[in-house]
Amino acid sequence: MSTPIRRQYLAIKRQYPDIIVFFRLGDFYETFDDDARLAASVLDITLTSREMGRGQRVPMAGIPCHAAESYIARLVAAGYKVAVCDQIGEPNGRQLIERRVTRVVTPGTVTDPAMLEASRNTYIAAALLEGERAGLAVADLSTGEFATTEIVAERPEEAAAALQRELLRLAPAEVIRPAHSQEEPDRLGQALPEGAYVTPTDPASWRLHTAERALKEHFEVETLEAFGCAGKPLAVRAAGALLQYLTETQMGSLAQIVELSTYSLDRYMTLDAQTRRNLELTESSRGERRHSLIAVLDQTRTPMGARLLRRWVGQPLLDLEEIRERQRGVSALVRNALARARLRDLLGQVADLERLINRVVTGAAGPRELASLGRSLATLPSIRETLAPAPELAGLAALPECDDLVRLIDTALVDDPPAALGQAPAIRPGFSPELDGLRTASREAREWIAGLEQAERERTGIKSLKVGYNKVFGYYIEVSNANRALVPPHYQRKQTLVGAERYITPELKEYESRVLHAEERIAELEAEVYRRLLAEVAAAADRVRRIARQLAQLDTLASLAEVAVRRRYVCPEVDESTVISITGGRHPVVEAALDAGSFVPNDTLLDTEDQQIVILTGPNMAGKSTYLRQVALIVLLAQIGSFVPAERARIGLVDRIFTRIGAQDDIASGQSTFMVEMIETATILHHATRRSLVVLDEIGRGTSTYDGLAIARAVVEHLHNSSRLGCRTLFATHYHELTALERVLPRVRNYRVDVLEEGERVVFLHRVVPGGADKSYGIHVAQLAGLPRAVLRRAREILAELEAGNRSERRRRREVMEHDPAAALQLTLFAPPHPVLEELKQLDIEALSPIEALTTLYELQRRLREDGS
Ligand SMILES: Nc1ncnc2c1ncn2[C@@H]1O[C@H](COP(=O)(O)OP(=O)(O)OP(=O)(O)O)[C@@H](O)[C@H]1O
Ligand SMILES: [Mg+2]
C-alpha cells in the first residue's frame, strides 16, 4: 500500500509522462523513479531513496527550492522538459496538502532572465505542411512577439524547402508540430532543420476551427481580420496550435501575448541556409560570433536593438521605399555626429524594455526590475530633445509621454530597491500611509524593546541584566543567578539555565506581539501595494511596447550609422536595375580583422545586359573567395538599409543570393562532398531568376579534372544562355581553361587576382584586374603552410614533368573550351533535320569573320535551345 503522497505524485506524473516532474516537498523539489535517475545523472546530484509505503522504497533525487531555477535551466539546456509541481496553500499538519503543476518549462518557453540571451530572441515555432502550402507561427514569450505566415509554393518540395529556410533563419529553441500518424511519409519531419528540438502536439489542436477559436478567445475578438491572417488557413492553424501549447505550458497566463502579426516572406530577400552560413552572417564558419558580419555591425546599446539588428541582417528587404527609409535614418545619424553620440549614450541607460514590460504584465518583475524600467523611461525626454536636429527621424523620435509612469515608479519605490520583495523594504515612505503607519508602529515597538535593557537595569539595579531573543520564547529578560534576589515580582520565570534565569513580562510580550504582528502585516501590505503598482504600470504596457519598438529601431539605425562612420562606409544607391557597380569595395569582416588600411579595395561591375558573368581566376590565397563574399555582403548590407564598405556603390535590387562556396562534407546525412556540391548547384540552376546574384566558388572541384571542367563549363553556359536566368554571376575557379569562354559567350568577362612574382617569392597583391590567370602557385602556398622541404622539392619536380608532358594536352583542352560542344552534341541528338541544321548547312563559313562566326553560332544555338528545351 503506497502512502497518500505517493498516490498524489503518481496521479500528477501520469499527466506528464515525458516530462521531469519537480515535486515540492517542504523546502525541496523532489524527483522520483526514472525522473530521479535522470536528474541525478544530468545534474550530478545524489540519488537516494525514500520509503513511500510498506516495503516500497522509491528512487529519489532532490534539489533545494531556492536553487531550482538554475537546475531547471540545466535540464532544459540538456534538452529535457520540467513540470514544476508546487504546494497550494499552507500545510496544516493533518491533511495532505494540495499540489498542482504551476508551469512547464521547455526549451522554447523559458522566460527566466538568467536563461535568456540578451542579444537574440528565444523563439518557439509551430510548423505545418500540406501539399504545396506550409504554415509557420513563431513566438517569443519574453518579448511578447507573436507572428505567423503562410507559404504558398508551386510544388510541395518548394513549400518544404521554404519552410525549412525560414525555420533555419529563426533558429527556434523548440518547434511544435502535429503528431503524425506512422503510415504516410513524414514530409514535415524531413523539412524540420536537423537537430531541432521538436515537440509533437495533439493533431486536434491544429484543426482550423479549434485553432481559430483559441485565437479568438485569447485576443477576445470576433474575427481574425485585423491580424491579417483571415484568408490564410495554415497560418491560422499554426498560430492557434502554438497558442494552445503555450497556454498549456504557462498554465493559462499568457498576458504578454497581446497581438498577432501576419508576415509574408515575399517582402524579404531569400537566403538559404548555406548562403547564411557561407556569408558568415551571424557566426563565422567556426561557429563563433567573432568574425561574423553581425559582430562588425553590432554597435547597439540596448538588447532590443541587438535583437532587431539580428533580424534585419537575416531579412534583407526587397522594397525600395523601405530600404530608402532606413537609409534616410542612417544618413541623418551619420551627419549629426553629436546627436548620434548623445543618443547612443542615452540608449546605454535604457534596459531591456521589451522583456521588462512583459515581466511586469505577467507579474514576474521584481522591484529592482521595475525601478530599471522607470529609469529607462526617464531618458525619453532627453532622447526626444537629442533627435530634434534630425527631422528625418521625427517619426521615431515621437516617443509617447511617460512622465506619469516615471513619477509613479519613482515615488513608489525606494532608491536601489531589492531584487525581490521581502529582502528589504521596497516601497518608499510616503507612498502608502497605511504602510507608513505600520512601519512606525513596528519601529516604536522595537525602539521600546531596545531601550528596555537600559531602563530595567536602572529600575532594578541589576547591571548584568540582558534582553535577548530566541525562536522558542521570543523576547526575554535574562538575570544571572547572583542577582536573583533583585528580580522584581512581576517578572515571570520562563526558562532556567545553568547560571541564569530568563523572564518575561506582560508588557514585553505586548510589544513583542506588536513587532511581530506589524512585520507580518508589513510584508502582506507591501506585497499588496506592489501588486497594485505592477498592475498600474501594466495598464500602460501598450505604450511601453511602442516605445521599446521605436527605441530598438533608433538603436539599430544608430548602430549602422556608427559603423558607417568608424569604418568609412558610404550610402549605396539602390534601384530597380540589374546592375551591381561597386568602386573600391571591401570585405566588411576581413577588413575589420586586418590592420587599418591593409585591406586592398576592389571594383566590381556586373550587369545582366552586358557583363553578366565574371570568371575570376588567380592563384591560391590570392583573395578570390574573399572577393566573392565581399560582393555578396555589400549587396546584402545595401538591402538591409545599411551603408556599405566601398567608395561608391550602385545596387540593382537582388531577390535572392545564391552561394556555392567551399567543400562541406555532410557525412552524417550520407552525402559526399561532391554530391552536396552538385545538389547546391542544382538548386541554383532551378531557382535563380533574372534578379538573383549567384556566387560560385570553385564548382566541379570535388571530382576528376575532366568531369569538373565539363560540369563547370556547362553550368556557366546555362547561366548565360537560359532565357529565364540572366542572373548576375561571380564564378571563381582554378580551371584556367574556363577563361576561354569569354570568347564564346558575349556576356562573360575574365578577371584575375593579381600576384607579383619576384624570383622565388610571390607577392599577393589582392588586386582584381581584367584578364585571366594561368598559374596557381599552389606549391608556393604549400610552402607558406610549412609542408616539409622534401615534399615541396618533389612536388616541384613532378609539376615540371607534368607541365612539359601536358603542354599539348592543355592546348587540346583549351580548344575544346573555345569550341562550342553544346551545339555539336545536339547535332547528334536531333535525328530528323532541324531547321537550324539546314541553315548551318547553307552557311558559307569561309566568308565569315571569326566574330561573325561566333555570333551566328551563338544565335543558332539560342534558337536550337528555345525550340529544343
Ligand atoms: N583584398 C584583400 N586585401 C587584403 N587581404 C586580402 C584581400 N583578399 C584576401 N586577403 C587575404 O588573403 C587570404 C586568402 O584569401 P582567399 O581565401 O579569398 O583566397 P583564394 O583566392 O580564395 O584562395 P584559394 O584558391 O586557396 O581558395 C584571406 O584570408 C585574407 O587574409
Ligand atoms: Mg578560395
Side-chain angles (χ1 to χ4, degrees), residues 12 64 67 81 118 147 223 235 250 286 295 314 335 350 469 505 522 550 552 579 594 601 770 833 839:
I12 288 170
K81 298 175 185 168
T223 143
Q250 304 306 106
R286 298 208 178 123
R335 270 196 313 276
V350 174
Y469 179 84
T505 69
I522 287 171
Q550 285 176 230
V579 172
L594 295 179
E839 272 193 55

Side-chain angles (χ1 to χ4, degrees), residues 156 461 473 554:
F473 301 112
L554 284 171

Side-chain angles (χ1 to χ4, degrees), residues 476-495:
Y476 56 77
I477 300 168
E478 188 176 302
V479 178
S480 62
N481 287 344
N483 293 310
R484 223 147 100 188
L486 296 172
V487 169
H490 70 281
Y491 277 26
Q492 301 166 7
R493 200 165 66 217
K494 261 296 182 201
Q495 194 186 13

Side-chain angles (χ1 to χ4, degrees), residues 693-711:
L693 171 65
V694 175
V695 168
L696 299 168
D697 198 353
E698 304 194 38
I699 70 159
R701 183 163 71 159
T703 186
S704 76
T705 314
Y706 280 148
D707 285 3
L709 190 51
I711 292 171

Side-chain angles (χ1 to χ4, degrees), residues 752-764:
R752 65 167 197 274
V753 194
D754 230 6
V755 290
L756 199 67
E757 219 170 332
E758 291 178 337
E760 276 282 277
R761 251 164 46 90
V762 176
V763 181
F764 294 106

Side-chain angles (χ1 to χ4, degrees), residues 621 623-626 629 697-698 701 732 734:
M621 278 289 283
K624 298 182 296 298
S625 301
T626 307
R629 287 186 171 93
D697 198 353
E698 304 194 38
R701 183 163 71 159
H734 279 290

Side-chain angles (χ1 to χ4, degrees), residues 410-713:
D410 196 44
T411 44
L413 295 179
V414 298
D415 299 338
D416 237 337
L421 280 185
Q423 292 170 340
I427 303 294
R428 194 189 282 284
F431 185 68
S432 159
E434 204 184 342
L435 196 55
D436 289 350
L438 279 171
R439 279 188 180 142
T440 310
S442 160
R443 196 182 51 244
E444 281 168 4
R446 267 172 208 284
E447 278 166 7
W448 185 88
I449 294 173
L452 183 67
E453 193 170 275
Q454 197 50 41
E456 290 299 295
R457 278 183 189 173
E458 281 165 18
R459 195 140 66 109
T460 59
I462 306 173
K463 292 232 160 43
S464 61
L465 179 146
K466 278 190 299 202
V467 173
Y469 179 84
N470 79 21
K471 275 209 167 125
V472 186
F473 301 112
Y475 286 100
Y476 56 77
I477 300 168
E478 188 176 302
V479 178
S480 62
N481 287 344
N483 293 310
R484 223 147 100 188
L486 296 172
V487 169
H490 70 281
Y491 277 26
Q492 301 166 7
R493 200 165 66 217
K494 261 296 182 201
Q495 194 186 13
T496 305
L497 307 178
V498 178
E501 299 277 353
R502 285 177 176 173
Y503 305 88
I504 57 167
T505 69
E507 211 185 4
L508 176 58
K509 286 293 124 177
E510 162 62 22
Y511 277 99
E512 175 186 300
S513 110
R514 277 196 219 169
V515 170
L516 293 181
H517 178 75
E519 244 145 54
E520 212 172 275
R521 273 295 294 149
I522 287 171
E524 276 172 23
L525 194 62
E526 193 172 48
E528 173 60 32
V529 170
Y530 186 71
R531 216 175 9 251
R532 281 204 306 265
L533 178 63
L534 279 187
E536 207 172 323
V537 177
D542 282 349
R543 205 173 357 143
V544 178
R545 287 200 184 94
R546 222 177 91 205
I547 290 165
R549 267 199 298 269
Q550 285 176 230
L551 290 183
Q553 290 194 41
L554 284 171
D555 194 14
T556 308
L557 293 171
S559 174
L560 293 178
E562 181 71 17
V563 174
V565 172
R566 278 195 208 173
R567 303 206 170 275
R568 293 174 299 107
Y569 290 6
V570 298
C571 187
E573 189 185 325
V574 184
D575 59 25
E576 299 272 9
S577 72
T578 49
V579 172
I580 292 174
S581 164
I582 300 167
T583 312
R586 283 123 46 205
H587 188 299
V589 183
V590 176
E591 171 186 51
L594 295 179
D595 292 338
S598 54
F599 190 89
V600 181
N602 277 302
D603 299 346
T604 307
L605 179 64
L606 284 168
D607 176 358
T608 299
E609 306 304 331
D610 178 44
Q611 180 154 323
Q612 182 205 338
I613 299 177
V614 163
I615 293 186
L616 184 66
T617 45
N620 292 110
M621 278 289 283
K624 298 182 296 298
S625 301
T626 307
Y627 179 75
L628 261 49
R629 287 186 171 93
Q630 156 185 325
V631 175
L633 286 172
I634 288 174
V635 167
L636 184 128
L637 282 171
Q639 289 187 225
I640 68 173
S642 170
F643 281 23
V644 299
E647 279 164 41
R648 206 169 54 233
R650 174 177 173 212
I651 310 294
L653 280 179
V654 167
D655 65 353
R656 184 163 175 176
I657 299 177
F658 290 94
T659 57
R660 161 89 273 284
I661 290 179
Q664 248 139 20
D665 266 310
D666 204 347
I667 299 172
S669 75
Q671 289 171 341
S672 73
T673 311
F674 182 64
M675 186 65 185
V676 171
E677 182 180 329
M678 286 302 108
I679 290 174
E680 291 184 10
T681 308
T683 308
I684 297 175
L685 297 183
H686 283 305
H687 297 280
T689 76
R690 209 177 139 73
R691 285 225 157 269
S692 305
L693 171 65
V694 175
V695 168
L696 299 168
D697 198 353
E698 304 194 38
I699 70 159
R701 183 163 71 159
T703 186
S704 76
T705 314
Y706 280 148
D707 285 3
L709 190 51
I711 292 171
R713 154 136 200 192

